Amino acid sequence: MGHHSEAPVAPVEAYEPPYYVAVFTTVPTQDQSGYSETDARLEDLVKNVPGYLGMDHAQTPGGLGITVSYFRDPDALTRWRTNAEHRAAQQRGRAEWYQRYTLHVAKVERSNGFTRAQDPQSPTAG
């Protein structure tokens, strides 16, 4: 998955470990025909996978895309990996949309987060 134009400005929360992450890094090809629609469809689909926790995405000015998807357990990862529409999109990605990609899957053993409290005097607070 990739461009995520409507991505939130906050990271996925720090969940109680253990849980799992799939880190997908991509370098796109020039022709991205149909990519945005497929990406949006996959984002809708993955939300229905039992055990899916969320997704973070970033893209460098040079085009490197980094998507981190979070899953409660290995079964949730397997359900997503073997989803028929996801598999079809993977094949199309290799054939058309990606110059190169890597996928790293890891078990998270430690997690924490931070959110700055809003200053009540700030003109954007409230």
Side-chain angles (χ1 to χ4, degrees), residues 38-88:
T38 301
D39 186 50
R41 172 68 181 148
L42 292 179
E43 282 194 53
D44 287 342
L45 276 178
V46 73
K47 292 174 184 172
N48 295 317
V49 172
Y52 170 76
L53 300 174
M55 180 186 312
D56 288 321
H57 177 77
Q59 188 161 354
T60 68
L64 177 69
I66 304 165
T67 300
V68 183
S69 300
Y70 302 85
F71 297 88
R72 175 52 50 205
D73 53 45
D75 291 341
L77 271 165
T78 298
R79 282 189 287 274
W80 179 236
R81 183 176 49 85
T82 59
N83 175 282
E85 281 189 68
H86 183 211
R87 292 184 62 77

Side-chain angles (χ1 to χ4, degrees), residues 12-22 51-54 56 68-74 76-77 105-113:
V12 170
E13 68 180 87
Y15 289 97
E16 183 65 33
Y19 57 94
Y20 293 78
V21 294
Y52 170 76
L53 300 174
D56 288 321
V68 183
S69 300
Y70 302 85
F71 297 88
R72 175 52 50 205
D73 53 45
L77 271 165
V105 176
K107 180 179 181 180
V108 176
E109 296 180 358
R110 186 176 62 192
S111 183
N112 60 53

